[in-house]
Amino acid sequence: MKDVELVDKCIGSRIHIIMKNDKEIVGTLLGFDDFVNMLLEDVTEYESTPEGRRITKLDQILLNGNNITMVLLKVKIIRAHLNKL
């Protein structure tokens, strides 16, 4: 099973993304393409700054797949997927 197929199972679910610039994004996955560019809604963006942690709320965001370091999925999604193997 490819990683992309696992991410596809997460459409409509809340996911946590760590970006190359150390920003963290949490939102509901609406979709993604072959380059793993991701569209999320109901987004919270976390950024560490010298002044402290900055939190930004957004309705939607389009993330460039080249800037994504890691995608964290809910355990129940992964377990359901593994049970099918």
Side-chain angles (χ1 to χ4, degrees):
M1 180 72 46
K2 296 179 183 177
D3 293 339
V4 172
E5 293 173 356
L6 185 56
V7 173
D8 187 55
K9 301 283 185 196
C10 294
I11 291 177
S13 298
R14 300 285 291 171
I15 61 173
H16 188 132
I17 299 172
I18 299 175
M19 305 296 289
K20 286 184 180 176
N21 60 4
D22 291 328
K23 283 185 183 179
E24 295 184 31
I25 310 286
V26 177
T28 302
L29 180 63
L30 294 179
F32 66 98
D33 63 14
D34 292 339
F35 301 101
V36 195
N37 298 313
M38 295 186 168
L39 178 62
L40 289 88
E41 71 176 356
D42 189 24
V43 177
T44 305
E45 180 182 75
Y46 301 92
E47 183 178 10
S48 294
T49 67
E51 296 81 30
R53 191 171 198 189
R54 179 184 306 149
I55 299 172
T56 305
K57 301 277 189 177
L58 304 166
D59 291 333
Q60 286 191 342
I61 192 168
L62 177 62
L63 301 175
N64 183 321
N66 289 328
N67 295 324
I68 296 173
T69 300
M70 188 181 327
V71 178
L72 304 169
L73 310 174
K74 288 186 175 183
V75 173
K76 68 179 184 177
I77 294 169
I78 296 170
R79 283 190 185 140
H81 177 70
L82 291 176
N83 288 335
K84 292 180 182 179
L85 297 178

